Amino acid sequence: SQEAGAVVRRLYAWRYSPLHGWQPQQLVSERSSTHQSVRASIDRQGNMMVAWVNDAGGSRDLYASYSPREGSFNAPELIEQYSGDGNHSGDVLSFEHLEFADDGSAFACWRQQRPHLFAGQLEPQTVIAVINRFEPISGWGQEQSLEADNNIGSTGSLSCDVSGDGRFIAAWERRNSFEEQDSLSAAQDYDVWVSVYEPARGWVALDTVEFLEYGIREVDGQGVQNHNPRVAVTDQTAAVLWFNGSDTEIVSMDYDFATGEWEDADVLEKRSRLISHVNSHQLAANASGSLLAFWGERYATRRSADGGWSKSKALPATPDLYGIDAVGLPYIVYREAGDVFVNRYDGSGWPQYKLN
């Protein structure tokens, strides 16, 4: 709206109650510039968190506002404190994930241009993966970098997920070099990095999937080039799915919370003609630990009781939304000829249901 000659942009939220339906709108924020990359999450008690990127201060900053179930939203809070310098803008380049755990804690993760120290040097214009954790009593903590200090590089795609019991997994693509003499422009290796948080153990298992699988670090762009990770986490397991560009494969790897170790990688697809795009793969999990992976119009599942991935099969359509239900059966939602359909695998086929 426009008030006294100034443009005011307002962000509203609605929450849904199974007993009472949609509740009246609530004002979250008023700003002079656009609320961008808005994400929202609600916990089991009905408390709600909304976060967004805003550039009213000159750089792209990340804000959040919390609302208890029966109350209004708190004043917006800046949840990352880096304001930039001559070599780094401080801009939040992408806000990737916001999610509550069952105890009311929450995680936010994003990519940001900010310093990363390697071999005593600070290269300009580096992009890193960053997280912050919210606690119901103390609020947001201090944001922290997910990056290891053994490389120079810049982070591309980032994927994060939170389980009901507060476990967290992040994976990100990073163009990096482990050579101390290299500058950012000399970094040629594309690695997928992973890190896991457990409430009882803290941060564990930070490394590249290539090092976790083979125990080696490639240099000078001659190693396996891994891209575009996707993650999922449950109370039992965490998984990362990525595209191996060197061998044209879709690959997955699991983290076992019982042992605290990453398991051997599984190649889900090696037929390049069936991988429609380097960014077509997705991953989902249900609460019991069953997984759904798909790429283009192919998919595979791994039920928690089966112990291994199924052979890949054809999907009935390319999904817009997707998931795996409580008994380990996948479902997809997609648009076709102006209509919205859902298909759920019933053990023998994919019956279609029209939603509109």
Side-chain angles (χ1 to χ4, degrees):
S1 65
Q2 190 162 352
E3 300 175 5
V7 174
V8 178
R9 294 178 170 86
R10 297 183 175 92
L11 177 63
Y12 293 94
W14 291 257
R15 72 186 88 196
Y16 180 83
S17 164
L19 293 178
H20 306 293
W22 287 102
Q23 304 303 296
Q25 69 181 21
Q26 290 182 284
L27 178 66
V28 180
S29 169
E30 290 183 325
R31 296 276 164 163
S32 60
S33 58
T34 304
H35 301 83
Q36 305 169 36
S37 304
V38 178
R39 294 186 179 274
S41 183
I42 191 166
D43 69 12
R44 289 195 170 194
Q45 290 73 44
N47 306 309
M48 192 173 182
M49 182 78 73
V50 179
W52 64 94
V53 176
N54 189 269
D55 60 3
S59 61
R60 289 171 52 84
D61 297 317
L62 185 58
Y63 294 85
S65 180
Y66 175 80
S67 169
R69 180 179 60 186
E70 302 296 339
S72 57
F73 279 90
N74 297 338
E77 179 182 359
L78 188 65
I79 67 170
E80 51 84 18
Q81 305 298 322
Y82 182 69
S83 58
D85 56 35
N87 293 318
H88 303 87
S89 68
D91 283 347
V92 173
L93 301 182
S94 63
F95 177 31
E96 301 295 346
H97 199 75
L98 174 71
E99 188 174 357
F100 277 110
D102 292 343
D103 65 357
S105 64
F107 282 92
C109 70
W110 65 93
R111 293 188 310 116
Q112 187 172 12
Q113 190 180 106
R114 57 193 294 168
H116 175 67
L117 183 66
F118 172 58
Q121 301 296 320
L122 288 174
E123 282 283 314
Q125 300 182 347
T126 52
V127 178
I128 66 172
V130 189
I131 65 100
N132 202 342
R133 188 166 184 259
F134 172 86
E135 291 286 354
I137 296 176
S138 57
W140 289 100
Q142 179 67 38
E143 77 270 23
Q144 66 183 79
S145 168
L146 289 173
E147 307 291 354
D149 60 4
N150 62 354
N151 72 91
I152 182 66
S154 196
T155 291
S157 60
L158 168 67
S159 179
C160 307
D161 196 24
V162 181
S163 70
D165 64 352
R167 303 172 197 248
F168 173 88
I169 181 175
W172 57 101
E173 176 190 311
R174 187 164 170 86
R175 178 177 60 84
N176 49 225
S177 171
F178 301 97
E179 298 295 322
E180 292 188 2
Q181 72 274 12
D182 280 352
S183 64
L184 180 61
S185 61
Q188 301 179 57
D189 296 288
Y190 285 86
D191 283 315
V192 164
W193 289 80
V194 289
S195 186
V196 174
Y197 173 85
E198 296 187 58
R201 297 178 183 174
W203 290 97
V204 296
L206 170 62
D207 222 310
T208 70
V209 293
E210 190 173 5
F211 186 81
L212 292 169
E213 178 71 2
Y214 303 113
I216 59 174
R217 301 199 191 282
E218 306 284 359
V219 296
D220 300 327
Q222 301 303 308
V224 176
Q225 306 297 301
N226 293 315
H227 304 277
N228 302 321
R230 307 286 188 264
V231 297
V233 63
T234 71
D235 296 352
Q236 289 80 31
T237 187
V240 57
L241 182 78
W242 71 92
F243 174 70
N244 174 341
S246 299
D247 301 316
T248 317
E249 295 175 340
I250 302 295
V251 190
S252 78
M253 183 181 286
D254 297 349
Y255 180 80
D256 188 332
F257 286 115
T259 64
E261 295 182 354
W262 286 92
E263 299 179 348
D264 292 341
D266 293 304
V267 177
L268 304 191
E269 185 63 81
K270 60 176 61 178
R271 296 166 292 181
S272 59
R273 71 182 187 280
L274 297 179
I275 302 174
S276 61
H277 190 270
V278 299
N279 204 27
S280 67
H281 50 287
Q282 299 292 342
L283 183 67
N286 67 9
S288 63
S290 296
L291 296 169
L292 164 68
F294 77 85
W295 49 98
E297 294 190 1
R298 305 291 298 184
Y299 79 98
T301 58
R302 197 197 69 193
R303 295 192 183 187
S304 54
D306 293 343
W309 285 95
S310 68
K311 292 183 178 180
S312 72
K313 301 176 183 177
L315 285 169
T318 300
D320 293 300
L321 299 172
Y322 53 91
I324 186 164
D325 67 16
V327 296
L329 296 176
Y331 59 88
I332 61 172
V333 181
Y334 57 95
R335 293 165 292 175
E336 186 176 277
D339 295 314
V340 179
F341 295 92
V342 59
N343 292 51
R344 176 181 177 272
Y345 186 69
D346 62 8
S348 59
W350 290 82
Q352 182 189 71
Y353 305 92
K354 186 176 179 181
L355 297 184
N356 63 327

